[in-house]
Amino acid sequence: MKNQKRINNRSFFFLISFLFLTTLLNIKSLKKVYIQDIRISGSELFSQNDVVKNSSLNFPIRLIFVETNLLEKELKQNLSLKNVSVSRELFPFGLKIIVNTRIPIAYGERMLNDEKILGFIDKDGIFINKQNVDEKNLNKLTIQVFGWKEKFKKILSEIFIAIENYELEIVKVTFSNDGFLTVEEKDLKTIFLGFKPNLINYQLQKINNLKNQLKKNSFSKKIDNIDLTNPDKPKIKVFKP
């Protein structure tokens, strides 16, 4: 009987503890999240105010109503982040936000509503707004990109990969308003690549081959521009004496 009574008391204690904890958690989850309850890690660039300004959520908001997936999507897009993770926490109470910033490898320029926007480009061809970049990552940038648009991301990524894999020194990439692509290489000068993004890898191989061939006899010093819009029939224009 004593053992049975002890078991019953223990079960009652666990039940009361469970109910108390459940009630506490429910109360906590209904508590409102204020700006001071937002904790950010991964970068010192962004503040609690940045989170509030770049979210469609209206703070303060009850913790249970925070749509973490929506907040992640908005912050990733609006703050030019590579990755972001948002989690609701009860102890300590609030929102925990872990950010992974993009590393710029080129200066960038885009047009938005007829306004010129200055920023940077990362290795994936993503445009990064100036305020979302750590200045310590800007010391070694040698490439400029003009006329950036969302649809040019893949082309830019292929160009950056080629710069890493070949001996190319591309210093400028320009997209015209209608999408005509021109690059400037340190030795080969201006190179016209045209409107066909599906040819970009083949064109970059051609540029690398031409550079290797022309540098052997110092012919590259005489080049004004190269037309590679048809990569099988390159046209080289030289300076007239």
Side-chain angles (χ1 to χ4, degrees), residues 57 65-73 86-88 95:
L57 300 178
F65 295 144
V66 175
E67 298 179 59
T68 55
N69 289 338
L70 172 63
L71 186 54
E72 288 172 352
K73 183 178 180 181
V86 178
S87 57
R88 295 181 296 232
L95 288 178

Side-chain angles (χ1 to χ4, degrees), residues 43 45-46 75-82 100-110 117-135 137-138 141 145 148-150 153 156 160:
S43 172
L45 275 177
F46 307 108
L75 294 180
K76 183 175 181 180
Q77 180 173 344
N78 297 337
L79 298 178
S80 310
L81 296 171
K82 190 173 183 65
N100 184 3
T101 57
R102 295 185 179 277
I103 299 175
I105 64 171
Y107 293 100
E109 179 183 296
R110 64 182 296 195
I117 306 295
L118 301 179
F120 303 91
I121 313 291
D122 81 339
K123 67 177 183 179
D124 297 319
I126 303 293
F127 189 90
I128 315 169
N129 292 324
K130 283 178 66 176
Q131 65 270 25
N132 298 332
V133 169
D134 192 335
E135 292 186 2
N137 293 320
L138 306 180
L141 302 188
V145 176
W148 182 94
K149 290 181 181 179
E150 188 83 17
K153 292 186 300 184
L156 285 169
F160 296 147

Side-chain angles (χ1 to χ4, degrees), residues 151-236:
K151 63 182 179 181
F152 299 142
K153 292 186 300 184
K154 189 174 186 303
I155 299 175
L156 285 169
S157 178
E158 298 292 349
I159 291 173
F160 296 147
I161 290 172
I163 292 173
E164 287 184 2
N165 294 338
Y166 301 143
E167 294 184 10
L168 298 179
E169 295 180 78
I170 293 176
V171 295
K172 186 186 294 185
V173 180
T174 305
F175 297 96
S176 67
N177 288 334
D178 57 0
F180 189 94
L181 174 59
T182 304
V183 301
E184 185 175 318
E185 208 276 339
K186 187 176 179 180
D187 294 315
L188 301 182
K189 311 300 187 296
T190 302
I191 306 170
F192 304 113
L193 299 179
F195 294 105
K196 298 178 179 179
N198 58 308
L199 293 179
I200 188 64
N201 283 316
Y202 186 36
Q203 290 170 318
L204 290 166
Q205 290 175 15
K206 284 288 186 178
I207 295 173
N208 187 59
N209 293 339
L210 281 171
K211 179 167 182 173
N212 291 334
Q213 293 171 12
L214 298 177
K215 281 188 70 175
K216 291 178 181 178
N217 52 23
S218 298
F219 186 77
S220 61
K221 296 179 180 179
K222 304 175 183 178
I223 294 175
D224 181 21
N225 63 66
I226 299 174
D227 186 341
L228 275 179
T229 51
N230 181 352
D232 290 322
K233 296 180 179 179
K235 299 175 183 178
I236 301 176

